[in-house]
Amino acid sequence: MTEATLPIVPDLLCFSHLRWDFVFQRPQHLLTRFAHERRVFFIEEPHFDAQTPRMDLREADAGVRVAVPHLPEGLDEQARIDALRGLVDGLLKAEDVNRYVSWYYTPMALPFSRHLTPLAVAYDCMDELSLFRGAPAALVDLERELLSRADVVFTGGQSLYEAKKDRHPNAHPFPSSVDVPHFQRAREAQPDPVDQANIPHPRLGFFGVLDERLDLDLLRGLAEARPQWQIVLIGPVVKIDPAMLPKAPNIHYLGMKKYAELPAYLAGWDVALLLFARNEATRYISPTKTPEYLAAGKPVVSTSIRDVVSPYGARGYVEIADTPADFVSAVEACLRPDSERQARADHFLAKMSWDETFSRMKRLLDQSAQHRQKARTAQGRTAEAQ
């Protein structure tokens, strides 16, 4: 067996702008599966709370090793990069990480990781980060560099793939998948969570990060149009002032919940909502919650987000509306049971498991590692012959 066949499963180094213990989403679904077959190191962005640089390492879900850098406050940019590079190098040495692939969720990690020599580089572009509020000015140039270094590029949806496919020869769309058995628990009779139990019906629900992507005017308008409808929102408030959130007797903010708790909340909803604004930050999103709502057996109303309109809206699985008046009409339609729509949605979801998505992405990653290793071997033979 030659070296190019990679007989030893390489470790995986993931560089992420998201915290592991934040919302359980795409990175957690994929990396916990990778951790069943290899060591996975999830390297977070730094905290600036230490006297001297240090890297804390702990074991999280499915054995994923979460590495959290801690740096002193007040470092200039170069000092911060040097400190992070040193911490990453120290982690690799301490954990005897020699054969590995690099997996990026953020191009902002390149300045302290571009010196590494992975067997392959994957860029899982789950969002167009440059369009988010507060995006660093350097992000666009660093993404250009990451695309030049990556062996394979994955995108979080079809619209994002359309935006990236001409920028990399090995780009592949991987829209949001779903853990159907987990969310199907919402179809079972179960006790209502304590903080939701006293909220009357009908209940309209949303879970996810409450940030600049949330259409606050639509939320406010829907609550005013039907004060008897109760709107439940679950999730952390990020990057916006909580004071900006609409307040009304029929709007209920229940805060962040664990992934394991979501089916119990969904079980008590009558309609699930995708209250996304149509702005720069939502231009390329592919909401994971769309198939999760459907797996829970809930009718869904969404704004006209491109990756929701196609395929979900076009196939009749989700109602599409953008104004408060149209939302009211769509919700009223959803309050009438439609078992046929649910059956068709279930058939569609059967092909969207995270296990299947992981298997396909892993296959492409392994092929990329083999291709890079063969190229290195060929270069070495050429150098020896000269």
Side-chain angles (χ1 to χ4, degrees):
M1 182 176 291
T2 66
E3 183 182 13
T5 59
L6 300 176
I8 301 173
V9 178
D11 296 324
L12 187 150
L13 300 183
C14 176
F15 297 93
S16 178
H17 60 295
L18 300 168
R19 302 283 175 197
W20 184 263
D21 291 329
F22 192 52
V23 177
F24 195 96
Q25 51 189 310
R26 182 185 183 97
Q28 288 83 354
H29 279 293
L30 294 172
L31 297 177
T32 52
R33 286 166 170 80
F34 272 115
H36 291 150
E37 62 174 31
R38 69 184 78 199
R39 293 192 300 174
V40 173
F41 296 87
F42 185 87
I43 302 171
E44 295 186 353
E45 291 185 333
H47 291 285
F48 295 92
D49 60 356
Q51 294 296 316
T52 58
R54 75 173 193 275
M55 182 79 85
D56 289 349
L57 185 67
R58 63 181 176 83
E59 189 168 305
D61 307 84
V64 172
R65 294 159 170 84
V66 179
V68 185
H70 294 264
L71 301 179
E73 288 189 72
L75 295 179
D76 62 34
E77 182 178 2
Q78 190 56 53
R80 180 181 60 83
I81 291 170
D82 291 343
L84 288 170
R85 183 187 297 121
L87 290 176
V88 170
D89 289 346
L91 173 69
L92 269 58
K93 182 177 180 180
E95 297 298 315
D96 194 28
V97 179
N98 298 303
R99 294 172 58 83
Y100 58 92
V101 295
S102 292
W103 184 285
Y104 287 86
Y105 280 107
T106 173
M108 297 304 296
L110 267 183
F112 59 87
S113 63
R114 61 165 64 97
H115 67 291
L116 299 176
T117 56
L119 296 171
V121 174
Y123 177 26
D124 189 13
C125 181
M126 59 184 285
D127 289 301
E128 186 62 87
L129 296 178
S130 64
L131 299 180
F132 281 24
R133 182 176 297 176
L139 199 152
V140 172
D141 288 338
L142 286 172
E143 186 187 53
R144 186 179 299 112
E145 180 184 347
L146 180 55
L147 287 167
S148 72
R149 290 174 174 270
D151 298 284
V152 61
V153 173
F154 309 118
T155 66
Q158 186 64 32
S159 60
L160 195 52
Y161 169 73
E162 296 295 332
K164 303 293 182 185
K165 66 178 183 179
D166 293 334
R167 301 178 61 190
H168 196 280
N170 193 24
H172 306 269
F174 280 93
S176 298
S177 301
V178 60
D179 182 350
V180 170
H182 179 75
F183 284 95
Q184 277 185 336
R185 289 165 42 205
R187 304 186 188 194
E188 303 168 2
Q190 55 192 290
D192 222 358
V194 173
D195 55 351
Q196 183 172 269
N198 293 325
I199 298 175
H201 288 268
R203 294 179 191 158
L204 321 180
F206 171 93
F207 67 73
V209 179
L210 309 184
D211 59 15
E212 76 267 29
R213 294 172 295 177
L214 190 67
D215 191 330
L216 301 183
D217 291 336
L218 176 59
L219 171 59
R220 184 180 296 108
L222 181 61
E224 291 174 354
R226 290 292 186 273
Q228 72 274 24
W229 291 353
Q230 306 301 311
I231 305 175
V232 177
L233 296 104
I234 290 173
V237 181
V238 176
K239 294 192 293 183
I240 61 172
D241 184 351
M244 295 173 57
L245 296 173
K247 305 296 192 299
N250 61 331
I251 301 179
H252 310 270
Y253 299 99
L254 303 188
M256 186 169 176
K257 306 300 177 184
K258 295 179 181 178
Y259 180 71
E261 298 176 294
L262 294 179
Y265 284 90
L266 277 161
W269 297 355
D270 299 291
V271 179
L273 306 177
L274 289 166
L275 294 166
F276 287 114
R278 290 168 295 161
N279 56 29
E280 288 295 290
T282 63
R283 186 191 301 177
Y284 299 113
I285 63 171
S286 178
T288 305
K289 59 184 62 62
T290 314
E292 291 173 343
Y293 286 163
L294 292 173
K298 299 301 168 183
V300 181
V301 182
S302 174
T303 52
S304 56
I305 298 302
R306 180 178 169 186
D307 282 10
V308 179
V309 172
S310 178
Y312 300 99
R315 298 182 183 216
Y317 307 145
V318 170
E319 296 289 330
I320 304 296
D322 286 314
T323 67
D326 288 344
F327 241 80
V328 166
S329 297
V331 170
E332 288 175 340
C334 286
L335 289 172
R336 298 188 289 270
D338 187 343
S339 58
E340 181 183 347
R341 175 166 58 182
Q342 185 60 61
R344 289 188 290 107
D346 287 346
H347 179 74
F348 181 73
L349 295 178
K351 307 169 187 176
M352 293 181 57
S353 75
W354 279 113
D355 287 337
E356 174 62 23
T357 295
F358 161 73
S359 296
R360 291 169 54 208
M361 294 173 82
K362 173 184 175 296
R363 189 180 314 118
L364 289 165
L365 177 64
D366 290 345
Q367 290 171 356
S368 298
Q370 291 171 3
H371 179 76
R372 179 180 280 213
Q373 197 71 0
K374 288 178 181 178
R376 285 178 177 172
T377 300
Q379 289 174 358
R381 288 171 180 165
T382 300
E384 290 175 0
Q386 290 177 344

